Structure formats: structure tokens, C-alpha cells
Amino acid sequence: MRVRKTSAGLTVRAIAGSHVVLLAMHLDASRCPGLLGFAIHRSDHDEDEAYWLEGMKTFAATDPGFGPEARYSTRQHPIQGFTWSDFSAKPGHRYSYRVVALRGSPENLLASEAVTLTVATETEAGGDHDVFFNRGAAASQEYARRFADTPSLAQAPDTDPRWAWLSRGAFEAIEQFIAAASGPGFGLRVAAYEFRLPAVAEALRAARARGVDVQIVYDGCPNPPDAKTGAVFPRDDNRATAAAAQLQAICTERVTQVGVKNPPISHHKFIVRLQGGAAEAVLTGSTNFSRGGVFGQSNVVHVVQDPKVAAAYLQCWQLIAANPTPAQLKPALAALNVRPAGKPLKGGNWLFSPQPGLEALNWYAEIAARSPGALFMTFAFGMNDLFKAAYRQGQAPLRYALLDKLLGPGISKARQAAEEAEMLALRKMPQNRFAVGNRIAANSFDRWAKETLTGLNSHVQYIHTKFLLADPLGPDPIVITGSANFSAASTNANDENMLVIRGNKRVADIYLGEYMRLWNHYAFREWLAAGAPGATPEFKHLDVKDRWWRGYFGNSDRSRQRAYFAGVAG
């Protein structure tokens, strides 16, 4: 939901997702001298609560000197920025936000321009699309505060509260999707790269006991064994999970290519639910059925309650269940795919891989390059050259990228310096705002606690989602999301799936809120990690020299951010 309001020269726009409300403020530059920041008051009409929201930075002159991790009312220590996010919002709630410009001095803050607006956050389940993002940020201050000095998560029982906090509804959505197949007459068709989350296997066993027709396809490719353990990933874990739940009889091992040392992976993570033999809904997204997928790295579970879309996924499942060769599978999937010339069709489109060529990847890159207002993408395994071109030459005046690592795997040492230089050049462009996964590894930064990872992930620690948002705040947003990394292998080699959703503002708002939650989280941590080796980062108090707002005007990335999110001319 989006609401925009102007009063006495101050413009505020609120964009409400499910767990995030983005607030964007705008004042003409001529009105900014003397501005000390913005105070933000929130009223929760569902829980009958009202209070000034809090931040972590203070004025030096009025700093109360509280200990680490303290928070301070924005009425005494305002937000010095033109965009701010409420990450404590709850789905399906009605909130009023009062944004007040403060002037005067830290000792005598004077309220001036003010705007009050009311928004309703989206429910995660609603309409044709149910969207559930996991927490995706165990390396966070909130996790450190809540679960300090707790034992290893890998050995924690299912009742440990950390699981529910990290899941934030993602695992529960998988459980509920399976549970909705309530008895005879229902069917479930599972396609999994990683089928190694015992709780999911147990839910499928329970469904089978209810009389549900359950069939599972998981990646069984004979990949090279691990040098230390001899285990073949993910095949051996998949087999062990199926055996423990006594599901071997209904499992098919998907072998994408016989006799190949490193065969393409069967990278799907979807479940189709059937009733009366017909597909009624599909659960898809980036979340592997593993502890690391659900509770560790950032991921999304996306449920489509549309029989037409579900039927296409069922056809894909039926094709891969027969274990065809790539030569057999590619033309069959090409006939099933929906990829029009130019813009996607209104509503839902779908694409399955492997495909005969790279036309779909080029199509995604074309959508990215032609996005008129802003572009937002996530990259789990580096940025493909097609998308580097979109970030270098695209039409959008504001282009965000969120990466797990700056460079993808497989880059030779000889090429590494050139690749880093290319990414650095992209980052320096005023149109581009990049962030790379990181954490606060040492308790050296004043007011911040040491952060730790879950230990559930080996390769992708932070960003595992694969989605693209083309002008999400415009009148015709495009969301591309699914299992496929934006790469050549995910297009013409691996088993993959992608949803392309055009014109659904509710879905765009949810994805954008979660994107900015993670982007802000990691952008700060990357900045902190980039400090001089061995140096203790210096805590900066709020500015009192009338400089903080100047970077939000002119030809800068922050100026473009202010203009896009507030919905004003650049």
C-alpha cells in the first residue's frame, strides 16, 4: 500500500509491505538550511499503541550516555536522512505515522513542518500471491540481543525459539501449504534440489498418512564426492532424509545428465498442490528445503493461488520426473514457457529451464536496462555481464544491487583484479547503489554488539534470493522471482523456474520493503568492514553544522533515492 501527502512544503510517502513500512521525506533544498532532522511518531491502531520511534544516533550535546545497544527517541535525536524504514511493523496492521521536521538546537528542538498519514501493511497471505520472506539476517543486532551466549544452533532442538525468529513465517508457510492437502483427493508434487529438512519430510509423511498422493523428485546427480567426507552433495543428504522419513518408495532421483563429471543441477524448490487431479496452487521461490535455506541465508517462499500457473508447474514436474536428457527437455520446456517480446504479459508469466539458448537471460537483462524509474536486483553468485551492462547503461536513474559476494565463483586469479576494478567502476556511478553481505565481526564499534552467523550455510552466507524489481513504485511494476540465478547456467543448463509478475503493486511493495530491509542492513556492515585494518571505527554523532542534508541534493545517489522514494521530480 502506498500513501503520499504534502503539508506546508513537506512531502511524505509511505510504502507498506508486510513487515516493513518505508518512509520517504522531501523538502525543497531552499527549505533545508537549519533542518536538524525528522522525528517520527507511530500509532498502531490494532494494538492501541502510540509512541515516538527510536534510533541509535544522538546529538553530542544531549547524549544521555546510555550503554551499548541503547535506543533514543527521534523526538530528541531525530533521523538525519530523507528515507527511513520501520522494520518493526506487523502484517495486516493499520498504522499512522506523524513525521515532524525539527529545527532549533539540540537543547531546544522546535517542531516545524509536519505530515500525518495512515497506511495498512499487507498480509503475507492475500489475493493470488502469498509472499513470505525469512529473517535472512542472523548476523544482526536484534539476534545478538535476543540470543546472546546461546549454544550452537546446529544442535538446537525444534523447540528452540531461534528457529521461529529466523523463519519469520517462511517455514510455517511450507508447513501450511502441505497441511492444506487434507486427505484423499489431494496430491502433492515436490521438486527439490536440497531435500534435507527433516521437518518438511515429516510433514510430507504425515500428508501421505492422511491419504494424500505424494510424489517427490530430488536432485540425485552423481557429483564429485567431497574430498574430506566422500559424500556426494546434495544427493546423499537427500537420500538420508527420505530414508529417515520412510519416503523412498515415492521418491525419484533426478539425474540431469548421465556420464558427466559435473552435471547440471536440478535446482528447483517447488511444490504443486492438486485436488481432484487438477493443480490448484504452487509453492516456489528461492528457499531450499534445508535448515540453511529456511533459517540461514535470505530467502523467499512465494505461493501462487492460481490454477493456471500451478498447472504449468505441474507440467514441468511431470517432464523432469521422467528423467529426460537435456536434448529432450529443452524443447518441451520451451513450448511451455511464457516469454513474450517486450514487456511480460499482465499478471503471471513463468519460465522453466533448461532452455535451448540464452534468450530468457537476455530478456531479463532487457527488462532491467529499460526499467524507467528504478531497478533492484539480488545476486547470490556475482553479476553476469549482461546485468553489468544494465547497471552501466540502463535507463533507470536509480539502480540498486545486493550481492552475497562482490565477485562470483570461478574467477581466475589473473582476472580477479580486472573484475574488481569493473565492479568498483559500476559502484562509483551516481545511479548505482551496491551492497555486499557482511557482519559486525568484532565488538569494536561503539553501541553495537558482536554479530555471529548461524553456521547453517557453507557457500552462500547472506543473500540467496534471486529476484528483480523493475520500477516497483511505478504504475506498472515488474517482479521476477524464483530459483534461477541470473546466469547462463541457470538458463541453458540447470533445472530452474522463474515467475514474472507484472502490474501487481501489492507483490511489488512486499518485495521492495524486504529488499530495502536487507540492503540497508548489509550496506552499513559493508561500510564498517571497509575501515582501515585494525582501526577502531569512530561513532559519529548527529550533525549540528547544517551539512547532513546537502548530500541528498544534486547529482548523487542519495538525491536520486530521495526523489524516487518520495515520488518527486529528480
Side-chain angles (χ1 to χ4, degrees):
M1 180 181 183
R2 310 165 193 182
V3 178
R4 184 171 177 270
K5 190 174 179 180
T6 300
S7 178
L10 173 63
T11 294
V12 179
R13 179 155 72 165
I15 304 106
S18 50
H19 289 270
V20 178
V21 178
L22 303 173
L23 295 173
M25 289 73 76
H26 169 73
L27 276 171
D28 286 343
S30 62
R31 300 175 67 98
C32 289
L35 179 66
L36 287 172
F38 298 99
I40 302 174
H41 184 275
R42 186 184 81 176
S43 298
D44 184 336
H45 300 288
D46 292 86
E47 297 187 359
D48 196 25
E49 294 178 342
Y51 48 86
W52 292 100
L53 294 175
E54 297 176 326
M56 294 191 71
K57 295 186 75 172
T58 60
F59 289 115
T62 56
D63 190 335
F66 298 153
E69 306 173 35
R71 295 179 179 273
Y72 305 87
S73 168
T74 56
R75 185 58 182 86
Q76 282 77 48
H77 304 279
I79 303 299
Q80 290 190 337
F82 283 87
T83 55
W84 191 80
S85 300
D86 181 4
F87 298 135
S88 64
K90 298 177 182 178
H93 277 230
R94 186 167 161 264
Y95 295 104
S96 289
Y97 292 90
R98 179 170 174 78
V99 179
V100 183
L102 297 181
R103 302 178 187 275
S105 68
E107 297 87 350
N108 184 29
L109 292 168
L110 303 176
S112 55
E113 303 92 336
V115 168
T116 299
L117 40 72
T118 300
V119 295
T121 51
E122 304 290 349
T123 57
E124 292 167 303
D128 295 338
H129 295 269
D130 304 342
V131 183
F132 304 85
F133 277 83
N134 69 350
R135 192 76 59 176
S140 67
Q141 292 299 288
E142 188 63 21
Y143 187 86
R145 279 191 286 266
R146 284 173 179 252
F147 307 115
D149 302 320
T150 51
S152 169
L153 184 62
Q155 306 302 322
D158 292 344
T159 55
D160 190 298
R162 287 176 290 178
W163 297 117
W165 190 85
L166 291 167
S167 166
R168 203 180 66 156
F171 173 69
E172 292 79 2
I174 298 170
E175 271 193 320
Q176 291 163 12
F177 186 86
I178 294 171
S182 56
F186 282 92
L188 293 167
R189 300 292 181 267
V190 181
Y193 173 55
E194 295 184 41
F195 184 68
R196 56 195 196 103
L197 184 57
V200 169
E202 288 300 322
L204 292 168
R205 180 167 72 166
R208 193 181 183 209
R210 294 192 298 270
V212 178
D213 176 15
V214 180
Q215 297 183 44
I216 302 163
V217 174
Y218 61 68
D219 187 295
C221 289
N223 299 311
D226 182 86
K228 292 182 179 179
T229 66
V232 173
F233 179 86
R235 183 195 66 187
D236 292 358
D237 283 349
N238 294 345
R239 286 176 175 176
T241 303
Q246 300 178 343
L247 297 174
Q248 305 101 307
I250 58 170
C251 289
T252 298
E253 293 193 354
R254 169 74 173 125
V255 179
T256 59
Q257 205 165 346
V258 177
V260 177
K261 183 179 180 181
N262 290 290
I265 59 178
S266 188
H267 201 233
H268 289 303
K269 316 99 167 43
F270 72 79
I271 307 173
V272 180
R273 191 172 65 231
L274 300 79
Q275 186 173 14
E280 63 175 14
V282 60
L283 179 151
T284 184
S286 64
T287 309
N288 282 304
F289 304 124
S290 67
R291 284 193 173 94
V294 175
F295 305 106
Q297 63 209 180
S298 70
N299 276 307
V300 61
V301 173
H302 192 125
V303 177
V304 187
Q305 309 276 2
D306 183 332
K308 185 178 179 182
V309 176
Y313 274 78
L314 177 60
Q315 287 181 265
C316 176
W317 187 92
Q318 291 167 336
L319 286 168
I320 65 170
N323 258 325
T325 66
Q328 294 168 324
L329 185 58
K330 287 181 179 182
L333 291 178
L336 179 59
N337 286 340
V338 178
R339 186 180 55 79
K343 283 190 173 183
L345 301 178
K346 287 280 188 178
N349 307 246
W350 53 84
L351 288 98
F352 302 106
S353 298
Q355 300 172 32
L358 295 178
E359 288 81 4
L361 191 66
N362 282 283
W363 188 55
Y364 301 148
E366 181 181 331
I367 291 171
R370 292 186 178 181
S371 179
L375 171 66
F376 303 78
M377 291 188 70
T378 62
F379 298 94
F381 295 95
M383 187 182 290
N384 179 276
D385 287 344
L386 290 171
F387 297 97
K388 290 178 185 176
Y391 278 87
R392 186 180 299 111
Q393 302 162 348
Q395 294 180 13
L398 181 63
R399 306 188 283 261
Y400 281 82
L402 180 56
L403 305 98
D404 187 72
K405 298 179 181 67
L406 185 64
L407 303 182
I411 296 175
S412 66
K413 288 185 178 180
R415 285 287 307 156
Q416 188 167 341
E419 293 284 340
E420 289 178 349
E422 184 178 26
M423 292 299 291
L424 180 60
L426 288 176
R427 298 190 75 161
K428 288 183 176 180
M429 295 177 64
Q431 298 90 342
N432 295 339
R433 304 206 76 193
F434 287 16
V436 181
N438 220 307
R439 64 190 175 98
I440 299 174
N443 190 14
S444 59
F445 190 54
D446 190 18
R447 302 187 181 183
W448 293 77
K450 179 180 178 180
E451 297 174 349
T452 58
L453 295 168
T454 62
L456 301 174
N457 303 98
S458 300
H459 302 294
V460 179
Q461 300 281 8
Y462 304 102
I463 307 302
H464 189 254
T465 48
K466 308 98 172 42
F467 67 86
L468 181 161
L469 309 179
D471 198 17
L473 294 180
D476 193 21
I478 297 172
V479 177
I480 301 175
T481 183
S483 76
N485 295 292
F486 295 104
S487 67
S490 288
T491 308
N492 63 9
N494 301 339
D495 292 352
E496 305 278 9
N497 70 90
M498 289 296 256
L499 284 170
V500 183
I501 306 157
R502 178 183 168 198
N504 192 317
K505 294 181 180 179
R506 173 182 167 272
V507 171
D509 289 351
I510 293 173
Y511 269 83
L512 179 60
E514 297 299 325
Y515 187 98
M516 294 310 299
R517 173 178 68 89
L518 293 166
W519 191 93
N520 285 319
H521 181 90
Y522 289 118
F524 170 74
R525 282 153 180 79
E526 188 190 12
W527 166 82
L528 186 62
T536 299
E538 179 185 353
F539 180 83
K540 292 184 178 181
H541 287 284
L542 294 171
D543 171 51
V544 293
K545 296 183 178 180
D546 211 27
R547 295 180 300 197
W548 70 268
W549 55 268
R550 299 178 187 275
Y552 287 90
F553 294 89
N555 185 27
S556 70
D557 55 354
R558 288 187 173 185
S559 177
R560 294 163 188 268
Q561 171 186 290
R562 171 191 52 78
Y564 183 72
F565 282 94
V568 299

